[in-house]
Amino acid sequence: GDESALPAIGTILDVLPADSVDAVYVEGSQNEVGAAASDGWPPVSWLPADEKAPGAALRGVLSDPARVNGSRVWVACESLAVRDIRRALFDRDKIAASHLVTRGYWRSGEANHPDHDYGEDD
C-alpha cells in the first residue's frame, strides 16, 4: 500500500500470525510517516513515491511474478493504480479473486474520492 494505507496495514498485521506475512511494501517515506509505523511488524520495504505516478513503485514490485505467484495479496493505494495492479495480477499472474483484495483510497486530482473503491468494476 501507500502511506494512506498504513492504518489498514497495521490492523491487518496485528491479527495475522507473524510467519504468515512474506513481505510488506509501502510506497512513501518512512521519514514522513515515522519509524513507529512499523514497530512489531515484519520488515517493511519502503518504496520511493512519485507524485506524478502514484502506485508506480508498487506496480514495479508486483510485476515480478516470483513475488506474487501462490500468494494472497492485499493492495491499497491511489484508485487508478490499484485498478492497474488488480488487472495485471488477474491477467498475467492468474491470481484467484479469493486471493486478492484491493482498495482505492484516493484518486489523483480529486478532492473527495470515496474510499470504498475496490477496483472490481473494470
Side-chain angles (χ1 to χ4, degrees):
D2 62 17
E3 292 171 348
S4 70
L6 280 171
I9 292 169
T11 299
I12 292 167
L13 292 175
D14 285 346
V15 299
L16 290 175
D19 62 351
S20 69
V21 179
D22 290 333
V24 177
Y25 299 100
V26 177
E27 185 174 288
S29 170
Q30 183 178 13
N31 293 334
E32 289 182 24
V33 175
S38 61
D39 286 349
W41 293 1
V44 174
S45 296
W46 293 90
L47 308 171
D50 181 347
E51 288 183 26
K52 294 179 180 167
L58 290 171
R59 276 193 299 272
V61 167
L62 295 173
S63 68
D64 180 356
R67 289 190 175 150
V68 296
N69 284 344
S71 298
R72 294 179 184 268
V73 179
W74 184 90
V75 180
C77 61
E78 195 274 341
S79 64
L80 296 177
V82 95
R83 288 169 183 270
D84 289 345
I85 291 167
R86 182 179 182 81
R87 201 173 305 113
L89 292 173
F90 276 142
D91 295 347
R92 184 197 62 230
D93 299 323
K94 308 300 183 213
I95 288 182
S98 62
H99 288 191
L100 179 62
V101 175
T102 56
R103 299 292 183 261
Y105 284 154
W106 60 283
R107 182 168 286 172
S108 184
E110 193 172 313
N112 291 309
H113 186 71
D115 65 356
H116 59 272
D117 185 345
Y118 299 157
E120 297 169 340
D121 58 350
D122 287 329

